Amino acid sequence: MAATDGKKAASQQPKSCPNISSLGAVVTATGFDAPDRTDSESGVTLSEDMEKENATLLREFILTGLIYQTEWQIPLFLLFLMIYLITIMGNLGLIALICSDRHLHIPMYLFLGNLAFVDAWISSTVTPQLLVNFFAKSKMMSLTECKIQFFSFAVSVTTECFLLATMAYDRYVAICKPLFYPVIMTKRLCIRLLISSFSGGLFHAILHNAFLLRLTFCNSNIIHHFYCDIVPLFKISCTDPSINILMVFIFSGSIQVFTILTVLFSYTLILHIVLKKKAVKGIRKAFSTCGAHLLSVSLYYGPLLFMYVRPGSAQADDQDMMDSLFYMVIIPLLNPIIYSLRNKKVIDSLSKMLKRNA
């Protein structure tokens, strides 16, 4: 009897507790945070390893786009669609006009044709996606797509800066040294200037895209912009973007300062030479020729400088979007209109082409 009672008592005793290490494995497997443990050799905590591993998981981003009320959705879509179509037709039409008229086969219009091509490129980099996002349910963009869009943006915008400086130099030689113009502005030099402009844009874009590889994104995937710009990416990066910001400041700042000084120096010399001659006809011709270029340069560099020179602030996102909208959507629309309406040769060539096709 005593032996039987002993067996029953033994069977009624509670089972032993599970091993603590196995319980910790279960907790970790179910997704609860485990306490930080340090590897004695490397000195790196497991939580830091997990953060680095999770940082690579953010490969898609959401573009917030333009902020507007719902009733403005269709009117804004139609407005930007009309702007884009006019921009493409105007710039491509200007290129076709320059190519078809032999009288326009001179350096000034060679540069103008390339400027029209770059303007159409800039607009096509941003506007189509802006139009799609008006009605898209998902505004997601992969990191690869983001880098490609920024690369295209950086090449085209930087190339336009160099082209504007090249056009200013061309006007300086044409007005200040008219007898030596055919000797100085040879076909070979023009091609070199164009290659240098596009190569400068390509190098600038490759540089910033290469430095983007060092950034990881884990805090947020929301980009407060209507296209993938580099500055909003800095704001959501888990990696310290100080080096990237320094590269933007050095290279973008240097390119803008160099091209602006080239434009200002060229037109200062032009103004000095024209006023020195005191010929009313010469002054009118000089301002008629250079007025369109000066207007285009002022409209382009104004918002561009404001974006990169102004100190960052909490309210900067909306202002940056408005500035970007101006020089990436509005300026490519205005350039063919400005150069066509203020250029007698372009107007005459357009009139002849319309008469031939009538």
Side-chain angles (χ1 to χ4, degrees):
M1 288 292 291
T4 305
D5 292 340
K7 289 180 180 180
K8 287 182 180 181
S11 62
Q12 290 176 356
Q13 287 180 353
K15 296 180 180 179
S16 60
C17 296
N19 187 278
I20 294 178
S21 60
S22 62
L23 180 60
V26 173
V27 171
T28 305
T30 54
F32 292 99
D33 293 335
D36 292 346
R37 288 182 295 173
T38 306
D39 187 350
S40 57
E41 296 181 359
S42 62
V44 179
T45 62
L46 293 179
S47 62
E48 289 178 357
D49 288 337
M50 292 174 65
E51 287 179 3
K52 290 180 180 179
E53 191 173 333
N54 290 335
T56 61
L57 297 178
L58 277 181
R59 309 293 295 181
E60 292 188 337
F61 303 93
I62 300 174
L63 294 174
T64 58
L66 298 176
I67 299 174
Y68 56 87
Q69 295 180 352
T70 308
E71 58 266 23
W72 285 97
Q73 183 179 26
I74 294 178
L76 285 175
F77 171 80
L78 295 175
L79 174 64
F80 285 111
L81 177 62
M82 183 177 64
I83 289 175
Y84 179 64
L85 293 177
I86 295 174
T87 299
I88 296 301
M89 289 188 294
N91 283 289
L92 295 184
L94 185 58
I95 294 172
L97 184 66
I98 293 171
C99 292
S100 62
D101 193 339
R102 293 183 179 179
H103 296 92
L104 300 180
H105 291 181
I106 58 177
M108 175 182 176
Y109 298 101
L110 174 65
F111 299 137
L112 181 57
N114 280 272
L115 182 69
F117 168 74
V118 172
D119 280 332
W121 182 359
I122 292 174
S123 185
S124 297
T125 299
V126 173
T127 311
Q129 185 172 17
L130 176 64
L131 293 171
V132 170
N133 285 344
F134 272 108
F135 298 101
K137 294 182 179 179
S138 174
K139 298 181 181 181
M140 299 292 292
M141 172 182 277
S142 68
L143 182 58
T144 302
E145 292 172 338
C146 187
K147 290 179 179 179
I148 291 173
Q149 187 180 46
F150 172 73
F151 180 83
S152 178
F153 156 76
V155 173
S156 55
V157 170
T158 308
T159 301
E160 179 146 344
C161 290
F162 285 119
L163 282 176
L164 291 173
T166 302
M167 293 173 69
Y169 173 73
D170 172 71
R171 289 301 84 207
Y172 158 73
V173 177
I175 295 174
C176 298
K177 300 181 179 180
L179 297 178
F180 296 97
Y181 183 76
V183 179
I184 297 175
M185 297 304 294
T186 60
K187 184 178 180 180
R188 186 175 183 179
L189 177 61
C190 293
I191 293 175
R192 284 182 176 179
L193 289 172
L194 287 175
I195 292 175
S196 299
S197 298
F198 282 92
S199 299
L202 184 64
F203 169 77
H204 192 224
I206 291 175
L207 175 74
H208 291 304
N209 263 51
F211 274 92
L212 276 178
L213 296 175
R214 64 179 293 274
L215 299 182
T216 54
F217 305 95
C218 58
N219 292 330
S220 173
N221 67 337
I222 298 177
I223 299 177
H224 294 286
H225 220 299
F226 61 88
Y227 75 99
C228 196
D229 193 11
I230 194 170
V231 176
L233 286 176
F234 294 162
K235 296 179 181 179
I236 62 173
S237 171
C238 294
T239 310
D240 182 14
S242 299
I243 297 177
N244 300 70
I245 295 172
L246 182 62
M247 291 297 103
V248 170
F249 177 77
I250 293 174
F251 286 93
S252 298
S254 299
I255 289 171
Q256 291 182 48
V257 170
F258 169 75
T259 52
I260 289 175
L261 288 179
T262 302
V263 172
L264 292 177
F265 186 70
S266 299
Y267 282 105
T268 300
L269 292 176
I270 290 172
L271 184 63
H272 174 71
I273 294 295
V274 169
L275 294 178
K276 189 177 179 180
K277 292 181 178 179
K278 297 181 181 180
V280 177
K281 187 178 179 181
I283 293 174
R284 287 179 179 177
K285 184 178 180 181
F287 278 100
S288 176
T289 305
C290 303
H293 188 203
L294 281 173
L295 180 60
S296 176
V297 168
S298 302
L299 292 174
Y300 184 74
Y301 277 107
L304 198 62
L305 281 173
F306 186 75
M307 279 188 64
Y308 286 97
V309 172
R310 187 192 72 250
S313 63
Q315 291 79 25
D317 291 333
D318 293 340
Q319 184 63 50
D320 286 347
M321 279 196 282
M322 292 301 102
D323 294 337
S324 300
L325 197 65
F326 189 78
Y327 75 80
M328 296 195 70
V329 177
I330 305 302
I331 294 299
L333 168 70
L334 295 178
N335 273 348
I337 299 174
I338 292 172
Y339 286 107
S340 299
L341 295 179
R342 295 185 61 87
N343 192 300
K344 189 175 183 300
K345 286 188 176 182
V346 173
I347 294 175
D348 292 341
S349 180
L350 180 62
S351 300
K352 290 179 183 179
M353 187 180 70
L354 293 175
K355 289 179 180 178
R356 286 198 305 265
N357 296 330

